[in-house]
Amino acid sequence: MRVEEKEYDEHGTITPDEMIPDRDSDEWMTYWREIYQKVTIEEIKAFEKEYKGSVSERKDIKEYYTKFKGEMDDIMSAIMLATYDEEDRIRSIINDMIEKKEVKKFKAYTQEDPKKRKKRERAGKREEKEASKAK
């Protein structure tokens, strides 16, 4: 047993980076696969179905809306699993929060230049196209 493995077994800690021997990428992949199972497309889709429209997603939208002060570029990038074609749905959730005074109005949100939204849409379509080629 290597010193690092013994330390982990005894103390439950991982040694500092400088003590971990160099491994090539195949060794690291094998190592991490022993610890974590590979995530499947089906698992991601199941999680997406559970997450979208959930209390957790609403909480995340509220957090990012506030954190980014209404900047939709940042909000859309931060929301897990959000795609450009869901912006209306996400805006509807934000509008509901504003109406219920859960969040305040930010000028960046209420007066966003329509060109910014178009730019996000073009970028989203480009990403979607690239992703479909990668399959």
Side-chain angles (χ1 to χ4, degrees):
M1 181 180 290
R2 291 191 342 241
V3 173
E4 294 87 359
E5 292 168 344
K6 186 177 179 193
E7 181 178 327
Y8 180 78
D9 289 344
E10 290 176 4
H11 305 286
T13 59
I14 296 176
T15 59
D17 289 343
E18 63 271 6
M19 293 181 71
I20 296 175
D22 288 336
R23 295 181 180 197
D24 66 26
S25 62
D26 289 337
E27 287 178 310
W28 279 114
M29 185 62 80
T30 301
Y31 173 75
W32 291 114
R33 282 293 158 242
E34 289 172 1
I35 297 173
Y36 301 106
Q37 295 298 314
K38 188 173 184 178
V39 177
T40 67
I41 296 292
E42 291 77 25
E43 290 170 322
I44 293 170
K45 287 181 179 179
F47 176 78
E48 179 179 26
K49 189 175 183 179
E50 186 179 303
Y51 176 74
K52 289 188 177 179
S54 70
V55 172
S56 292
E57 183 193 41
R58 185 179 175 92
K59 182 179 131 300
D60 290 345
I61 292 169
K62 183 177 184 177
E63 176 186 339
Y64 296 130
Y65 172 80
T66 304
K67 177 180 181 178
F68 298 123
K69 296 180 174 29
E71 282 289 342
M72 285 302 289
D73 288 344
D74 296 327
I75 295 166
M76 292 299 293
S77 292
I79 297 170
M80 187 171 20
L81 302 167
T83 58
Y84 75 92
D85 57 343
E86 296 178 289
E87 185 165 335
D88 286 339
R89 180 182 70 81
I90 291 167
R91 282 183 172 275
S92 176
I93 293 167
I94 293 169
N95 291 340
D96 183 60
M97 286 188 245
I98 291 170
E99 189 176 301
K100 292 178 177 175
K101 301 201 185 314
E102 294 176 39
V103 295
K104 67 180 193 174
K105 288 183 184 180
F106 290 109
K107 187 177 178 180
Y109 178 77
T110 59
Q111 297 178 17
E112 181 184 51
D113 185 338
K115 292 176 187 174
K116 284 183 75 175
R117 185 172 183 168
K118 284 289 183 194
K119 186 176 177 182
R120 276 193 303 278
E121 184 178 345
R122 283 192 305 274
K125 287 180 180 179
R126 214 174 22 257
E127 287 174 15
E128 188 175 60
K129 190 176 179 180
E130 289 171 14
S132 68
K133 287 180 184 178
K135 288 182 182 177

